[in-house]
Amino acid sequence: MEKHTIVWRGVTVEVTFTPAKFGMTDHIELRAADKTPLPITETGYRSHLMPLGSVAEHGGAVAFVTAWLDYEAKRTQWSGAQLTLF
């Protein structure tokens, strides 16, 4: 299991990646700080299973999650979680 912390559009997101979970699938879990909604979850939490090797094909867990968030934000024209410091 791997654990990473990223900051995406001002939101701290904990990424847990378990390759070959149950011996047959990759598993990603996301937890946004303060349960902040993201374009892939309204609750700030997401558990996602995908075909074995999918995460590695995308360059690892951080690259996979970042690309996934960016893609869904663009696709849905999502505008949340963009914190501005004054």
Side-chain angles (χ1 to χ4, degrees):
M1 176 177 12
E2 301 174 15
K3 288 196 174 214
H4 306 277
T5 301
I6 64 172
V7 177
W8 184 80
R9 294 192 184 188
V11 177
T12 301
V13 181
E14 180 183 290
V15 178
T16 303
F17 171 54
T18 306
K21 187 163 183 141
F22 313 119
M24 62 181 146
T25 186
D26 285 345
H27 182 235
I28 291 272
E29 274 186 293
L30 304 177
R31 286 183 175 85
D34 299 324
K35 300 180 181 179
T36 303
L38 296 168
I40 57 175
T41 172
E42 294 179 8
T43 65
Y45 174 81
R46 176 78 184 253
S47 174
H48 187 68
L49 297 169
M50 64 214 78
L52 192 61
S54 297
V55 173
E57 288 175 9
H58 287 89
V62 170
F64 177 87
V65 169
T66 301
W68 187 19
L69 289 167
D70 288 342
Y71 173 81
E72 288 299 322
K74 182 177 180 180
R75 184 183 70 80
T76 63
Q77 297 181 351
W78 190 79
S79 62
Q82 296 178 359
L83 306 177
T84 305
L85 301 176
F86 294 95

